[in-house]
Amino acid sequence: MELLTYSMEKRGSEPVYLYIYECIKNDILSGKILPGEKLPSKRVLAAHLGVAIITIENAYAQLITEGYIQSREKRGYYVSEDMEVLASPEKKAEDDILDKAAVSGKNADIKYDFSVNSIKSDSFPFDTWSRIMRKTMLDHEAGFMEAPDGRGVPKLREAIADYLYKSKGISVSASRIIVGPGTEYLHHLLIQLVGRSCFVAVENPGYKKISRIYETNGVRVLHIPVDEKGMTIDRLKDSNVRLVHLSPSHHFPTGSVMPVHRRGRLLKWAQEQGAYIIEDDYDSEFRFEGRPITTLYSMDHSNVIYMNTFTKTLAPSIRIAYMILPEKLFSKYMDKLSFYSGTVSSFEQYTLAEFIAGGYYERHIRRVRNRYKKCRQEMLTALSESGVLEFITVTEDKAGLQLAISVKPEYEKQAVNLDKRLLEKGIKIVPVTSYCYSEGEKYKNSYLLYYSDMDRDRMKEAFSYIKGLL
Amino acid sequence: MELLTYSMEKRGSEPVYLYIYECIKNDILSGKILPGEKLPSKRVLAAHLGVAIITIENAYAQLITEGYIQSREKRGYYVSEDMEVLASPEKKAEDDILDKAAVSGKNADIKYDFSVNSIKSDSFPFDTWSRIMRKTMLDHEAGFMEAPDGRGVPKLREAIADYLYKSKGISVSASRIIVGPGTEYLHHLLIQLVGRSCFVAVENPGYKKISRIYETNGVRVLHIPVDEKGMTIDRLKDSNVRLVHLSPSHHFPTGSVMPVHRRGRLLKWAQEQGAYIIEDDYDSEFRFEGRPITTLYSMDHSNVIYMNTFTKTLAPSIRIAYMILPEKLFSKYMDKLSFYSGTVSSFEQYTLAEFIAGGYYERHIRRVRNRYKKCRQEMLTALSESGVLEFITVTEDKAGLQLAISVKPEYEKQAVNLDKRLLEKGIKIVPVTSYCYSEGEKYKNSYLLYYSDMDRDRMKEAFSYIKGLL
């Protein structure tokens, strides 16, 4: 066959292997490459497209996984003969959006992308981090040869405890803090502590990844509706729920904050039920107005597991998250799970400890928060100047990495399939319904606009398109 | 009460918090501190003993977990009134030995410690690693802001694939390599892939930690006897086993190597049963004689999961392990588990990739292997010169971080409780029975001697004691 030729310029910001996978998949679906046809070898295609062999390998692996192509031993890669069994590509694409919260550039020619936060690239303080790393290397040579405690190195846990006290008023012993390589791992530990015979409750709408983690590990999940005061409590009663995941200080994606009386009711329920509440505080650092909100954990040390991560505030490549276990769960942890080895490189733990203790983390958070605040202001101004606010309302702008908007009820009819119609014009926004498990009707005209590095005029252009469609 | 005073000099090599925990526990058990008595505050005791507050916190946390003391809110720490409910400290100590493979210095006054590998402290090439880290920091600034692939960064997986090919003749696509923060995490992934309805088979004797990981995650475990050819196969037949964990190239702790005909039978069983074999190759780098042994994975790509770690060969603080998934499991992984985020800092992954690709890893392995070889030789000479070989046989010295010895059958009667009697003299050796789940009878006179930095004369002293007791 002719060699497959794809223009690398068109790929936008998605990984190269995904781009190549998409191109080949489209060629198969459109019949440009026929069933049974042999694909070029990985080596040949890599050289032809000027990419690494592993890139082609990854693209082929994904195509194999989804059944588009097959590998025949010692003969190479062939397009599947039996094209009936293919998974629907639409379905798959949708899943991707749901899981990754936001995926950019999958559709060709996205000109205005509001589906992913794109303003983080130069915010990490490399120089300071490098300097601390070099110092850490010299200071902790001995520590390097010791296996880290399963809970994390004491120095980091102390630094986190101090930070929590100073910045959120949380008073906690460093010994009850458990460090892990991301919140996903911490959820794995919680499953091992709480067991699989009960249900976990998650917010609907919410991050679907959380429920996927539990389901993948054999725990049944209840989706609990969220209203303007956060998670509702009625459905928790008379349930077999022993673990609840929520973000009471800033619900994603609606932004609702749970008021104190509902918090009280929730905690009372947890005490009576003997249940634990996972307070996921991941974006609490990005609150732009008013004081930080008091944590649930501060209200109840016995039934609340406080969880947070440095991945969102520092850099996606830093895999350090932590949780505080209530005393009873902590005893159980020491008893059942303290045999596990550490999961985060000590070296990076010492570096982060120094970064926090030296005050650099707080400074970084302040800087990032100001930057987001400015982006938010730019976006609000662009919305206002574009005239689109005649048709939509900004429903949430107090915190987080995105705005939430809703089409006004009087323009509902024109708003059908707004996101899909915008996509045809190269504008990508995220429907809130993509975070709903069911009963998404009330969010059908709600969308998220992630902050971006677009300048105000370009945003105005995009918002004028929205206006034009309504 | 009088302040607790413990001499920090006596603690040996165990962590400070464990030492303090032991001291307080002993004082409680001996009645020196009475039930109901109040302990000093963490702050006061820390200042008094000249240690960090978190150290006392950790010691107290351990005492609380085991029920020796209680925390009363806003009043402090008290020795438990109800001393009947205490867990047996003997039982606990034994568990520790089993889980951690070897624990040093728990008993006071250990003068000759053969229970833990103690020769690793200056073997890590800090300068090279630091240099590569600095370079990585400059080269991968952009990569730093990207979330790593759940499988690990491609560059590291490529470096591992190249290394496996060059050093072990394993030919594998980098895309099928999954990187994780330790083998424990990789076992968690396997459980999610294979499910909980079947059994996992582990070696008996063997590392008890492996079965603990599976049991903690709700998977039932079968303990399969090991003979001089490695794991036996009869008990696997007619079982519901779908996952088998073993080290065919160097069984721990007996050192047996599985010969090719048994490998063939095992692989045939796995194919018929649709089972997967986890080939744990963790100490294959420490083979002192002959060529590296061909891996099971090289014999069968469809049913063998190859697993290895850098933690053992580089430094305990580096949490990077990997596995190769057979094609079918890999598809399942991409389908079910590729939604997981990366678990190892990209920065450390890039550093390790460069360390391997630059040939430093191979050089390091050679250097460490030679060092162990020398230590082994010193130990063999000391055994020989001490005259103890009249009474014992060295049963395993080809590979790994320890020798295995057995008391000769004719001295069996004198060998009863040899390890306990040696402990009274301050000599610590590890009974092979501590790695047995059951049927440990045949190992009752077998012990492990871990390599150490002890000089030859001191080793000779220790071995003379052994001789004296037989």
Side-chain angles (χ1 to χ4, degrees):
Chain A
M1 66 174 294
E2 217 183 324
L3 267 180
L4 309 167
T5 302
Y6 304 117
S7 159
M8 287 298 139
E9 279 72 43
K10 285 201 190 143
R11 75 176 173 97
S13 64
E14 75 183 323
V16 180
Y17 89 93
L18 266 187
Y19 174 70
I20 295 173
Y21 146 82
E22 292 275 349
C23 292
I24 298 176
K25 188 180 76 178
N26 290 338
D27 282 357
I28 293 173
L29 289 173
S30 69
K32 216 165 142 186
I33 320 177
L34 295 172
E37 202 167 342
K38 188 177 182 196
L39 291 173
S41 79
K42 292 175 290 188
R43 200 169 294 270
V44 167
L45 185 56
H48 179 63
L49 296 179
V51 301
I53 294 176
I54 190 166
T55 305
I56 304 297
E57 264 174 13
N58 286 339
Y60 280 10
Q62 186 64 31
L63 289 163
I64 290 172
T65 302
E66 296 183 18
Y68 291 100
I69 68 170
Q70 289 165 347
S71 156
R72 298 191 192 152
E73 211 166 0
K74 294 200 177 128
R75 294 184 48 206
Y77 296 89
Y78 292 80
V79 178
S80 300
E81 303 271 1
D82 180 13
M83 296 295 279
E84 306 305 313
V85 300
L86 293 183
S88 151
E90 264 68 44
K91 178 67 177 63
K92 172 71 184 158
E94 204 176 288
D95 281 347
D96 276 353
I97 290 176
L98 303 185
D99 295 332
K100 293 175 190 164
V103 170
S104 73
K106 274 240 169 176
N107 298 67
D109 302 324
I110 296 289
K111 286 188 293 253
Y112 309 90
D113 193 348
F114 296 102
S115 74
V116 67
N117 158 31
S118 63
I119 62 163
K120 61 197 169 188
S121 50
D122 61 348
S123 58
F124 185 74
F126 273 98
D127 293 344
T128 309
W129 189 263
S130 299
R131 188 167 47 73
I132 295 177
M133 271 173 62
R134 283 197 296 275
K135 192 172 167 294
T136 302
M137 198 77 201
L138 295 171
D139 291 355
H140 294 282
E141 197 166 315
F144 217 66
M145 298 314 291
E146 281 169 20
D149 187 316
R151 284 175 288 167
V153 303
K155 216 180 154 194
L156 174 59
R157 290 186 282 126
E158 276 183 84
I160 292 173
D162 282 351
Y163 172 76
L164 286 174
Y165 185 69
K166 277 195 283 180
S167 77
K168 296 176 206 288
I170 293 179
S171 168
V172 62
S173 148
S175 65
R176 292 239 304 275
I177 294 175
I178 317 278
V179 169
T183 51
E184 299 169 6
Y185 178 81
L186 300 175
H187 286 295
H188 286 173
L189 291 182
L190 290 177
I191 292 169
Q192 292 172 63
L193 285 177
V194 174
R196 290 184 184 77
S197 57
C198 53
F199 282 80
V200 64
V202 301
E203 295 163 321
N204 181 20
Y207 266 125
K208 292 201 170 176
K209 198 168 189 175
I210 302 294
S211 71
R212 190 153 177 190
I213 292 168
Y214 282 88
E215 278 162 352
T216 302
N217 283 281
V219 182
R220 286 155 304 167
V221 176
L222 273 191
H223 310 130
I224 307 287
V226 167
D227 63 18
E228 68 290 350
K229 292 174 181 167
M231 185 183 269
T232 54
I233 300 187
D234 291 350
R235 289 220 202 152
L236 291 176
K237 291 182 178 158
D238 307 317
S239 73
N240 189 21
V241 168
R242 289 290 178 282
L243 207 52
V244 179
H245 176 271
L246 77 170
S247 296
S249 301
H250 183 237
H251 172 253
F252 179 87
T254 71
S256 65
V257 175
M258 189 178 280
V260 70
H261 65 269
R262 180 159 310 166
R263 290 177 183 231
R265 280 179 59 209
L266 182 67
L267 292 172
K268 189 161 172 279
W269 167 83
Q271 282 151 13
E272 286 167 6
Q273 180 94 346
Y276 293 100
I277 295 164
I278 306 166
E279 177 176 31
D280 192 335
D281 208 27
Y282 79 97
D283 71 355
S284 65
E285 320 293 355
F286 300 123
R287 172 150 292 277
F288 305 123
E289 290 176 8
R291 291 264 312 142
I293 291 167
T294 307
T295 57
L296 264 187
Y297 180 81
S298 301
M299 297 174 68
D300 179 346
H301 286 214
S302 333
N303 293 82
V304 179
I305 299 154
Y306 179 88
M307 195 180 275
N308 212 330
T309 176
F310 293 100
T311 300
K312 301 266 185 206
T313 47
L314 278 175
S317 66
I318 292 180
R319 311 306 306 176
I320 308 184
Y322 63 93
M323 63 179 169
I324 306 173
L325 290 181
E327 188 162 331
K328 225 168 121 185
L329 269 192
F330 176 68
S331 297
K332 212 166 168 184
Y333 171 90
M334 290 302 283
D335 215 39
K336 272 189 71 177
L337 304 183
S338 61
F339 77 94
Y340 279 125
S341 308
T343 47
V344 180
S345 135
S346 320
F347 177 71
E348 205 140 283
Q349 291 192 60
Y350 284 124
T351 302
L352 179 56
E354 182 69 30
F355 190 78
I356 298 171
Y360 305 107
Y361 183 63
E362 272 185 279
R363 229 169 294 163
H364 170 69
I365 292 287
R366 262 201 306 278
R367 201 171 49 235
V368 176
R369 193 189 293 131
N370 285 336
R371 181 130 193 244
Y372 275 102
K373 207 167 164 177
K374 221 178 114 198
C375 293
R376 175 189 72 142
Q377 197 48 57
E378 285 292 294
M379 193 179 263
L380 287 171
T381 308
L383 281 168
S384 165
E385 293 182 353
S386 72
V388 75
L389 291 180
E390 194 185 328
F391 305 93
I392 65 166
T393 323
V394 175
T395 54
E396 212 284 295
D397 68 344
K398 301 276 182 300
L401 313 179
Q402 71 287 321
L403 290 183
I405 58 167
S406 277
V407 177
K408 291 185 180 173
E410 54 267 42
Y411 300 102
E412 236 182 64
K413 277 195 186 136
Q414 291 95 302
V416 176
N417 285 331
L418 182 62
D419 55 319
K420 295 196 180 70
R421 284 151 62 213
L422 282 170
L423 206 54
E424 286 164 17
K425 308 238 176 251
I427 301 167
K428 195 160 180 190
I429 63 176
V430 181
V432 169
T433 51
S434 65
Y435 299 103
C436 293
Y437 298 93
S438 58
E439 304 166 55
E441 182 63 16
K442 70 189 256 205
Y443 299 104
K444 73 171 192 272
N445 293 317
S446 299
Y447 297 93
L448 299 184
L449 301 174
Y450 279 85
Y451 299 145
S452 76
D453 269 332
M454 248 178 265
D455 67 37
R456 201 197 293 180
D457 286 339
R458 294 207 59 227
M459 283 198 272
K460 267 168 73 176
E461 272 170 49
F463 298 151
S464 302
Y465 274 116
I466 301 182
K467 187 179 157 194
L469 290 180
L470 291 171
Chain B
M1 69 174 292
E2 217 183 324
L3 267 180
L4 308 168
T5 302
Y6 304 116
S7 159
M8 287 297 139
E9 279 71 43
K10 284 200 190 143
R11 75 176 173 98
S13 62
E14 74 182 323
V16 180
Y17 89 92
L18 266 186
Y19 174 70
I20 294 173
Y21 146 82
E22 292 278 348
C23 292
I24 298 177
K25 188 180 77 178
N26 290 338
D27 281 359
I28 293 173
L29 289 173
S30 69
K32 218 165 140 187
I33 320 178
L34 295 172
E37 201 167 345
K38 187 177 183 196
L39 291 173
S41 79
K42 293 176 290 188
R43 199 169 295 269
V44 166
L45 185 56
H48 179 64
L49 296 178
V51 300
I53 294 176
I54 190 164
T55 305
I56 304 297
E57 264 174 14
N58 286 339
Y60 279 11
Q62 187 64 33
L63 290 163
I64 289 173
T65 302
E66 295 182 20
Y68 290 100
I69 68 170
Q70 290 165 345
S71 156
R72 298 191 193 152
E73 210 166 0
K74 296 205 176 124
R75 293 186 47 207
Y77 296 89
Y78 291 80
V79 177
S80 300
E81 303 271 0
D82 179 13
M83 297 295 280
E84 307 305 314
V85 302
L86 292 182
S88 150
E90 265 68 44
K91 178 69 178 64
K92 173 71 184 158
E94 203 176 289
D95 281 348
D96 276 353
I97 289 176
L98 303 183
D99 296 332
K100 293 176 190 164
V103 170
S104 73
K106 276 240 170 179
N107 299 68
D109 302 324
I110 297 291
K111 285 188 295 250
Y112 311 89
D113 193 348
F114 296 102
S115 74
V116 68
N117 159 31
S118 62
I119 63 162
K120 61 197 168 186
S121 50
D122 62 347
S123 58
F124 185 75
F126 274 97
D127 294 344
T128 310
W129 189 263
S130 300
R131 188 167 49 72
I132 296 176
M133 271 173 62
R134 283 197 295 275
K135 191 171 168 294
T136 302
M137 198 77 201
L138 295 172
D139 292 355
H140 293 282
E141 196 167 314
F144 217 65
M145 297 313 292
E146 282 169 18
D149 187 315
R151 284 175 288 167
V153 304
K155 216 180 153 194
L156 174 59
R157 290 185 283 127
E158 276 183 84
I160 292 172
D162 283 351
Y163 173 77
L164 286 174
Y165 185 70
K166 278 195 283 181
S167 77
K168 295 175 206 288
I170 293 179
S171 169
V172 62
S173 148
S175 65
R176 293 239 304 275
I177 294 175
I178 316 279
V179 168
T183 51
E184 298 168 7
Y185 178 81
L186 299 175
H187 286 294
H188 286 172
L189 291 182
L190 290 176
I191 293 169
Q192 292 172 63
L193 285 177
V194 174
R196 291 184 182 77
S197 57
C198 54
F199 281 79
V200 64
V202 300
E203 295 164 321
N204 180 20
Y207 268 124
K208 292 202 169 175
K209 198 169 189 175
I210 303 293
S211 70
R212 190 152 178 190
I213 292 169
Y214 283 88
E215 279 162 351
T216 302
N217 283 280
V219 181
R220 287 155 303 169
V221 177
L222 273 191
H223 310 129
I224 307 287
V226 167
D227 63 18
E228 68 291 349
K229 293 173 181 167
M231 184 182 269
T232 54
I233 300 188
D234 291 350
R235 289 219 202 153
L236 290 176
K237 292 180 177 157
D238 309 316
S239 73
N240 189 20
V241 168
R242 289 290 179 283
L243 207 52
V244 180
H245 176 270
L246 77 171
S247 297
S249 301
H250 184 236
H251 172 252
F252 179 88
T254 71
S256 66
V257 176
M258 189 177 279
V260 70
H261 65 271
R262 173 138 343 148
R263 290 177 182 231
R265 281 180 59 209
L266 182 66
L267 292 172
K268 190 161 171 281
W269 167 83
Q271 283 150 14
E272 287 167 5
Q273 181 92 347
Y276 293 101
I277 294 164
I278 306 166
E279 178 174 31
D280 192 337
D281 208 27
Y282 79 98
D283 71 354
S284 66
E285 320 293 355
F286 299 122
R287 172 149 292 275
F288 306 122
E289 290 177 8
R291 292 263 312 141
I293 291 166
T294 307
T295 57
L296 263 187
Y297 180 80
S298 302
M299 298 173 69
D300 180 345
H301 286 215
S302 330
N303 294 83
V304 179
I305 299 154
Y306 179 87
M307 195 180 274
N308 212 330
T309 176
F310 293 99
T311 301
K312 301 266 184 206
T313 47
L314 279 175
S317 65
I318 292 180
R319 313 305 306 176
I320 309 185
Y322 64 94
M323 64 179 169
I324 306 174
L325 289 181
E327 188 163 329
K328 225 168 119 185
L329 269 192
F330 176 68
S331 297
K332 211 167 168 184
Y333 170 90
M334 290 301 283
D335 217 38
K336 273 189 70 177
L337 304 184
S338 60
F339 77 94
Y340 279 125
S341 308
T343 47
V344 181
S345 135
S346 321
F347 178 71
E348 205 141 281
Q349 291 192 61
Y350 284 124
T351 303
L352 179 57
E354 182 69 31
F355 189 78
I356 298 171
Y360 305 107
Y361 182 63
E362 272 185 279
R363 230 169 294 163
H364 170 69
I365 292 287
R366 263 202 304 278
R367 201 172 49 235
V368 175
R369 193 189 292 130
N370 285 336
R371 179 128 197 248
Y372 275 101
K373 207 167 164 176
K374 223 179 111 197
C375 292
R376 175 189 72 143
Q377 197 48 57
E378 284 292 293
M379 193 179 264
L380 287 170
T381 309
L383 281 167
S384 165
E385 292 182 355
S386 72
V388 74
L389 292 180
E390 195 186 327
F391 304 93
I392 66 166
T393 323
V394 175
T395 53
E396 212 285 296
D397 68 345
K398 301 276 181 299
L401 312 180
Q402 71 287 321
L403 290 183
I405 58 167
S406 276
V407 177
K408 292 182 179 174
E410 55 268 41
Y411 300 101
E412 235 182 63
K413 277 194 187 135
Q414 292 94 301
V416 176
N417 285 331
L418 182 62
D419 55 320
K420 295 198 180 68
R421 284 150 61 213
L422 282 170
L423 207 53
E424 286 163 16
K425 309 240 175 250
I427 301 168
K428 196 158 180 190
I429 63 176
V430 181
V432 169
T433 51
S434 65
Y435 299 101
C436 294
Y437 298 93
S438 58
E439 304 167 55
E441 182 63 15
K442 70 190 256 205
Y443 299 105
K444 71 171 193 272
N445 292 316
S446 299
Y447 297 92
L448 300 183
L449 301 175
Y450 279 85
Y451 299 145
S452 76
D453 269 332
M454 247 179 268
D455 68 36
R456 200 197 293 181
D457 287 339
R458 294 207 59 226
M459 283 199 271
K460 266 167 74 176
E461 272 170 49
F463 298 151
S464 303
Y465 274 116
I466 300 183
K467 187 179 158 194
L469 290 180
L470 290 171

